[in-house]
């Protein structure tokens, strides 16, 4: 299909498609003339993945590029791809990393993970994010919220086993790789949306009608 | 304390503190002279809440203002405050809301919630976010991921009961109100960080050593 049809079918505006081409997020089409190129279903699929990562996953353009390079690297083990996806969704680090309060929170994050017997890379971005949240809760005097940590860990461990099994059941590497990325990013969006709805329901039940 | 001490104690730079004052996120201090004002522990506490919402919760400045106005509104029922917190963390809506594909996903989100017997506002922002994620998964041909929805819903429902009970146990309204906001925003940060770590651990176990 021509670029105009790619834009129409995907619902992504022509200037935006051209921007993704310039930024290297979308691979170039097969040249068919001086200023013309032919695009295929792989482009359409890639365009949808880009939109999902940007709009639902709230990744930056740089983060999307990082994830797509990992997706396209056939040599990269799936496990490393997961790390890349985690880095891309890690966001901007807090300015206070390195203060004694943050270091204490980081040590606490390490102990939580070790206590569960989880084997994770000592520089996993999620360890720093966990420390960010713990440091913020302590600063705000809301340590009582940390009573939830064990329940969160137990729930996520059980869910992770199912999530990873679901992705591995796909067999085909390309489908697995995309599943790792979308399972991480879109699965998180599904989980957090449901958490907010469950909280609203529970809080409404306790608050009574109205 | 003077504004310079407020800055030092909080670790927030002086220009940033002044910016929050101008933006109305931080209430003005008690005037003690022509260009001087006195700040108290409430300012320090508020400054920490602002940083937590911005840095860990990734809220926008407008989102923080919205949440703080709700926190400061003594007339607002706690349940409505939760809705405000959810709106502030909802982020930018996807451009495709309103397309037939998205409408179908939105209807599906409604059925999931109704199927659990959850009572939520029909315009709850989290319903749209759930629809965003469902629409993206369907577009990408990754509907198999939606097999997790029931497990996510069950886990979040169980956790929400504990979270809300924890906040209500505080007794004091101001502490409850802050707990609702931080429980929503920082609790989500803790949960998603643990989910990523659990995934890394599980995927490492299946991938074998290395």
């Amino acid at each position: 299909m021509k670029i105009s049809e790619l834009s129409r079918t995907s619902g992504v505006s022509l200037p935006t498609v051209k921007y993704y081409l310039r930024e290297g997020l979308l691979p170039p089409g097969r040249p068919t003339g001086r200023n013309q190129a032919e695009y295929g279903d792989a482009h359409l699929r890639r365009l949808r993945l880009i939109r999902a990562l940007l709009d639902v996953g709230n990744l930056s353009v740089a983060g999307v590029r990082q994830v797509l390079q990992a997706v396209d690297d056939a040599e990269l083990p799936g496990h490393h791809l997961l790390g890349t996806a985690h880095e891309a969704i890690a966001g901007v680090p807090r300015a206070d990393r390195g203060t004694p309060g943050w270091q204490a929170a980081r040590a606490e994050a390490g102990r939580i993970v070790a206590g569960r017997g989880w084997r994770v890379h000592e520089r996993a971005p999620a360890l720093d994010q966990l420390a960010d949240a713990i440091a913020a809760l302590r600063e705000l005097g809301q340590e009582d919220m940390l009573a939830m940590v064990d329940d969160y860990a137990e729930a996520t461990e059980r869910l992770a086993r199912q999530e990873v099994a679901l992705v591995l059941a796909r067999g085909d590497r390309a489908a697995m790789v995309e599943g790792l990325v979308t399972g991480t990013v879109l699965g998180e969006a599904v989980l957090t949306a449901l958490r907010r709805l469950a909280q609203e329901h529970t809080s409404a039940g306790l608050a009574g009608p109205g």
Side-chain angles (χ1 to χ4, degrees), chain A residues 53 59 63 66-71 73 76-90 119-121 123-126 129 160-161 163-165 167-168 173 176-188:
Chain A
L53 294 173
L59 265 66
Q66 200 181 343
V67 168
L68 293 178
Q69 278 169 356
V71 165
D73 181 353
L76 196 71
H79 184 51
H80 290 218
L81 177 65
L82 193 66
T84 305
H86 286 176
E87 265 172 43
I89 54 180
R119 285 192 305 152
V120 299
H121 197 289
R123 284 167 62 190
Q129 286 148 35
R161 276 197 296 270
E163 288 159 344
V164 171
V167 168
L168 290 180
R173 186 190 182 275
M176 275 200 259
V177 158
E178 256 199 38
L180 269 181
V181 169
T182 52
T184 302
V185 177
L186 301 185
E188 186 166 305

Side-chain angles (χ1 to χ4, degrees), chain A residues 8-193:
Chain A
R8 223 173 17 250
T9 313
S10 64
V12 179
S13 76
L14 197 56
T16 303
V17 173
K18 287 181 176 168
Y19 169 70
Y20 294 156
L21 283 166
R22 280 199 309 278
E23 289 288 319
L25 298 186
L26 197 63
R30 188 172 53 80
T32 54
R34 187 195 277 275
N35 275 316
Q36 292 243 323
E38 179 71 14
Y39 298 86
D41 284 345
H43 289 94
L44 193 57
R45 189 172 176 80
R46 175 55 52 101
L47 210 42
R48 286 181 174 146
L49 181 57
I50 294 169
R51 293 312 304 178
L53 294 173
L54 287 173
D55 295 346
V56 186
N58 287 320
L59 265 66
S60 65
V61 167
V64 172
R65 185 184 297 110
Q66 200 181 343
V67 168
L68 293 178
Q69 278 169 356
V71 165
D72 292 337
D73 181 353
E75 303 290 307
L76 196 71
H79 184 51
H80 290 218
L81 177 65
L82 193 66
T84 305
H86 286 176
E87 265 172 43
I89 54 180
V92 184
R94 263 171 72 102
D96 68 353
R97 288 183 181 171
T99 61
W102 190 87
Q103 293 287 359
R106 179 62 181 71
E108 197 173 339
R111 281 195 301 274
I112 290 166
V113 166
R116 307 278 327 169
W118 288 353
R119 285 192 305 152
V120 299
H121 197 289
E122 62 180 15
R123 284 167 62 190
L127 274 173
D128 290 341
Q129 286 148 35
L130 183 54
D132 286 350
I134 292 173
L137 285 168
R138 290 216 177 278
E139 261 177 28
L140 292 165
Q142 313 230 355
E143 295 90 342
D144 56 347
M145 290 283 179
L146 293 172
M148 294 295 303
V149 160
D150 272 340
D151 299 287
Y152 287 162
E154 187 133 348
T156 54
E157 189 177 324
R158 196 173 50 241
L159 293 170
R161 276 197 296 270
Q162 295 171 256
E163 288 159 344
V164 171
L166 203 64
V167 168
L168 290 180
R170 292 185 173 178
D172 167 53
R173 186 190 182 275
M176 275 200 259
V177 158
E178 256 199 38
L180 269 181
V181 169
T182 52
T184 302
V185 177
L186 301 185
E188 186 166 305
V190 172
L191 180 66
T192 57

Side-chain angles (χ1 to χ4, degrees), chain A residues 198-210:
Chain A
Q199 284 183 336
E200 184 179 332
H201 165 68
T202 310
S203 128
L206 292 166

